[in-house]
């Protein structure tokens, strides 16, 4: 071990486990590509004010969890804690919303940074695949989002997750609800910090995990009973479209998300095998975010799915993904001439799309065969001087142990055929 370790709350993605992460990212991206979402990448850091205005001054993310630093030029930047604010910033900056084709549909894949208390499933550096549809108000778009995520989780074989759905209302009906909720909460027996929260962000109090708080919340006014007609109708349509698509969801009046930009539809995918960090993905509609960061009104909806937690969910369900073998053929040369000839074959095989590796480092036969077995390859290619003189290489099936000579100029086609 070296003197250094990965920083607290982070871990290294290393083979072979890293292949599972890549596969999960691919599974998340597949439905997006099928639905017209284009790939977007934004910097890992942004002006700190983008997040304080976008995600919200009173959120845990902004008050406690951001990695903020000052550049030598005196600019205050933050490592991105999430991808939505950056994405909308980039869409506005490039003027994509003016190209006349709304919604602008984009997806991203990248690491996010939150200075949280680390525990299983909660890291300071984690990976999200996200999707944002910017500039359209249409219940079908909200439904599309939820259906895509559901399809992605299903394609991985996950079963033990639930979809929680709620509506947080809009600027017409939420203020009155907020006031009603504040009045109710002020009458409860709560500690100082929670009392402060009532004044800044009362909805978050509903999300308090402590039993003594939850106990007092029975009878709290619910957004559901305060939704205006437009929000009610909108939400009903989202629900109908999901039902028609065969997506099973649960109405959850208490679902409050940890980011301030949400309006109307909010949802979370929670998995039963993960303990307290059960949300494997979440999102919702954010009709006011563009304006909060200085853009025009652009009603939008999106989600981000957590790659790390999804990998944990796969483990919890005992699901082994069908991963392609990292190495299909492993070449073992005996002697210098064989090294030259086999290395040539290795390059040829690779160019033909066969995953091939080579016994590097001048290993002896015994060691090289051990490496061949460890590599997971199906076939070993072995050649010594005598084989070359006869114009052949030995092809060994590492599963059955069978071995036989194949002509040098036929071996690439032969291996491709046997692997097909
Ligand atoms: P979020 O709920 O904060 O939403 O994060 C989405 C997902 O990222 C979570 O459900 C979880 O799986 C994963 N995640 C969050 N924090 C951590 C952590 N510390 N360690 C491991 N995984 C974590 C957002 O980020 C919004 N930007 C989603 C969105 C997009 N809303 C609209 N568009």
């Amino acid at each position: 071990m070296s003197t250094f370790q990965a920083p607290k709350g982070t871990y290294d993605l290393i083979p072979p486990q890293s292949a599972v992460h890549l596969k999960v990212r691919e599974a998340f991206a597949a439905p997006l590509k099928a639905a017209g979402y284009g790939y977007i990448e934004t910097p890992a850091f942004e002006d700190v004010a983008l997040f304080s205005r976008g995600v919200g001054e009173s959120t845990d993310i902004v008050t406690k969890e951001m990695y903020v630093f000052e550049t030598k030029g005196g600019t205050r930047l933050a490592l991105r804690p999430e991808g939505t604010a950056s994405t909308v910033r980039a869409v506005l900056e490039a003027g994509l919303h003016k190209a006349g084709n709304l919604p602008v549909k984009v997806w991203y894949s990248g690491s996010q940074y939150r200075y949280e208390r680390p525990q299983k499933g909660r890291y300071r550096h984690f990976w999200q695949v996200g999707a944002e549809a910017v500039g359209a108000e249409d219940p079908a778009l909200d439904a599309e989002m939820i259906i895509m995520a559901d399809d992605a989780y299903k394609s991985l074989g996950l079963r033990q997750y639930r979809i929680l759905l709620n509506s947080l209302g809009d600027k017409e009906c939420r203020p009155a609800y907020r006031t009603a909720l504040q009045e109710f909460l002020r009458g409860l027996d709560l500690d100082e910090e929670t009392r402060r929260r009532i004044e800044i962000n009362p909805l978050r109090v509903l999300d308090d995990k402590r039993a003594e708080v939850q106990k007092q919340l029975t009878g709290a006014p619910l957004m559901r009973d305060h939704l205006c007609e437009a929000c009610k109708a909108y939400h009903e349509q989202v629900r109908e479209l999901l039902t028609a698509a065969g997506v099973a969801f649960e109405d959850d009046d208490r679902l409050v998300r940890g980011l301030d930009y949400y309006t109307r539809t909010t949802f979370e995918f929670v998995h039963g095998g993960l303990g307290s960090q059960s949300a494997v993905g979440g999102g919702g509609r954010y009709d006011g975010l563009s304006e909060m960061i200085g853009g025009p009104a652009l009603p939008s909806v999106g989600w981000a799915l957590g790659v790390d937690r999804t990998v944990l969910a796969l483990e919890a369900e005992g699901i082994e993904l069908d991963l392609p073998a990292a190495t299909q053929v492993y070449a073992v040369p005996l002697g210098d001439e064989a090294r030259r000839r086999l290395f040539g074959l290795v390059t040829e095989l690779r160019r033909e799309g066969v995953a091939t590796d080579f016994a590097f480092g001048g290993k002896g036969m015994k060691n090289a065969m051990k490496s061949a077995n460890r590599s997971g390859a199906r076939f070993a290619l072995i050649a010594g001087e005598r084989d070359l003189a006869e114009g052949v290489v030995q092809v060994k099936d590492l599963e059955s142990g069978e071995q036989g000579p194949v002509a040098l100029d036929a071996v690439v086609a032969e291996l491709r055929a046997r692997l097909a």
Side-chain angles (χ1 to χ4, degrees), residues 170-180 182:
D170 64 4
K171 58 178 188 285
E172 298 304 317
C173 52
R174 188 138 92 218
Y177 169 66
R178 194 173 182 271
T179 306
Q182 278 174 324

Side-chain angles (χ1 to χ4, degrees), residues 201-244:
N201 197 346
L203 268 72
R204 287 301 288 171
V205 180
L206 293 178
D207 204 27
D208 199 310
K209 300 284 183 290
R210 292 171 297 178
E212 69 269 24
V213 178
Q214 279 302 323
K215 210 170 53 205
Q216 300 186 66
L217 291 176
T218 30
L222 295 171
M223 187 68 235
R224 181 185 52 196
D225 303 321
H226 289 75
L227 289 178
C228 59
E229 285 311 313
C231 284
K232 222 185 268 175
Y234 192 95
H235 196 55
E236 205 36 57
Q237 284 190 59
V238 175
R239 296 176 76 259
E240 277 166 19
L241 289 163
L242 290 176
T243 304

Side-chain angles (χ1 to χ4, degrees), residues 61 82-84 108 114 116 121-123 126 128 131-132 257 259 261-262 268 279-284 286 302-306 308-309:
I61 293 182
E82 61 107 46
T84 309
Y108 51 89
R114 295 183 194 175
E116 296 199 76
R122 187 162 72 195
Y123 309 105
F126 57 98
Q128 287 182 342
E132 315 290 351
R257 307 258 309 126
L259 307 93
Y261 47 61
Y262 291 110
E268 225 158 67
V280 288
Y286 49 94
W303 50 237
L305 311 183
D308 310 76
R309 285 188 198 167

Side-chain angles (χ1 to χ4, degrees), residues 32-340:
L32 297 167
K33 291 177 188 168
Y37 288 72
Y39 182 68
I40 188 168
E41 210 165 280
T42 61
F45 47 82
E46 297 272 355
D47 188 324
V48 68
L50 172 68
F51 301 116
S52 40
R53 278 206 243 152
V55 175
E57 289 290 358
S58 68
T59 59
D60 283 352
I61 293 182
V62 168
T63 55
K64 303 182 199 156
E65 297 169 2
M66 272 204 299
Y67 285 88
V68 179
F69 59 99
E70 197 171 303
T71 65
K72 292 198 172 64
T75 314
R76 294 221 328 140
L77 299 174
L79 294 183
R80 62 179 176 209
E82 61 107 46
T84 309
S86 313
T87 300
V88 175
R89 194 267 307 138
V91 165
L92 293 173
E93 188 171 334
L96 297 183
H97 61 297
K98 291 186 194 150
N101 198 17
L102 295 176
V104 177
K105 287 175 157 192
V106 287
W107 72 279
Y108 51 89
S109 177
S111 46
Q112 314 294 338
Y113 310 84
R114 295 183 194 175
Y115 189 74
E116 296 199 76
R117 199 167 44 76
Q119 65 179 88
K120 189 174 180 192
R122 187 162 72 195
Y123 309 105
R124 290 179 173 176
H125 169 272
F126 57 98
W127 201 277
Q128 287 182 342
V129 171
E132 315 290 351
V134 178
E137 184 187 286
D138 185 336
L141 200 54
D142 305 41
E144 168 174 298
M145 280 287 164
I146 298 171
I147 294 166
M148 289 191 304
D150 188 47
D151 284 349
Y153 287 124
K154 283 212 180 88
S155 77
L156 288 165
L158 286 172
R159 309 182 70 91
Q160 294 165 26
Y161 65 88
R162 300 179 298 142
I163 303 173
L164 309 180
L165 185 69
N166 196 15
S167 173
L168 293 180
D170 64 4
K171 58 178 188 285
E172 298 304 317
C173 52
R174 188 138 92 218
Y177 169 66
R178 194 173 182 271
T179 306
L181 181 62
Q182 278 174 324
E183 270 163 28
F184 173 88
L185 294 173
R186 284 185 197 123
L188 303 182
D189 176 23
L190 298 165
D191 58 89
E192 260 317 293
E193 198 192 327
T194 313
R195 296 202 148 275
R196 258 198 307 278
R197 183 168 285 169
I198 296 173
E199 305 312 317
I200 315 167
N201 197 346
L203 268 72
R204 287 301 288 171
V205 180
L206 293 178
D207 204 27
D208 199 310
K209 300 284 183 290
R210 292 171 297 178
E212 69 269 24
V213 178
Q214 279 302 323
K215 210 170 53 205
Q216 300 186 66
L217 291 176
T218 30
L222 295 171
M223 187 68 235
R224 181 185 52 196
D225 303 321
H226 289 75
L227 289 178
C228 59
E229 285 311 313
C231 284
K232 222 185 268 175
Y234 192 95
H235 196 55
E236 205 36 57
Q237 284 190 59
V238 175
R239 296 176 76 259
E240 277 166 19
L241 289 163
L242 290 176
T243 304
V247 173
F249 59 88
E250 296 169 27
D251 295 307
D252 183 353
D253 291 326
R254 292 281 175 86
L255 177 67
V256 181
R257 307 258 309 126
L259 307 93
D260 275 355
Y261 47 61
Y262 291 110
T263 50
R264 292 192 169 169
T265 314
T266 49
F267 51 87
E268 225 158 67
F269 287 75
V270 294
H271 193 274
L274 294 187
S276 62
Q277 301 309 311
S278 62
V280 288
R285 180 156 278 284
Y286 49 94
D287 293 342
L289 174 57
S290 169
E291 288 158 293
M292 286 187 233
I293 62 170
L298 284 173
S300 308
V301 61
W303 50 237
L305 311 183
V307 176
D308 310 76
R309 285 188 198 167
T310 301
V311 170
L312 292 175
L314 288 169
E315 284 166 15
E317 290 199 38
I319 297 169
E320 294 216 9
L321 297 181
D322 191 14
L323 298 170
T327 306
Q328 297 170 288
V329 173
Y330 194 97
V332 177
L334 308 169
D336 280 345
E337 179 55 14
R339 270 175 69 76
R340 272 190 293 277

Side-chain angles (χ1 to χ4, degrees), residues 330 332-334 359 362-374 380 382 396 398:
Y330 194 97
V332 177
L334 308 169
K363 290 187 185 94
M365 172 79 172
K366 204 170 143 202
N367 243 332
M369 287 310 291
K370 253 193 213 156
S371 299
N373 279 309
R374 281 203 200 109
I382 310 158
K396 181 170 183 179
L398 294 172

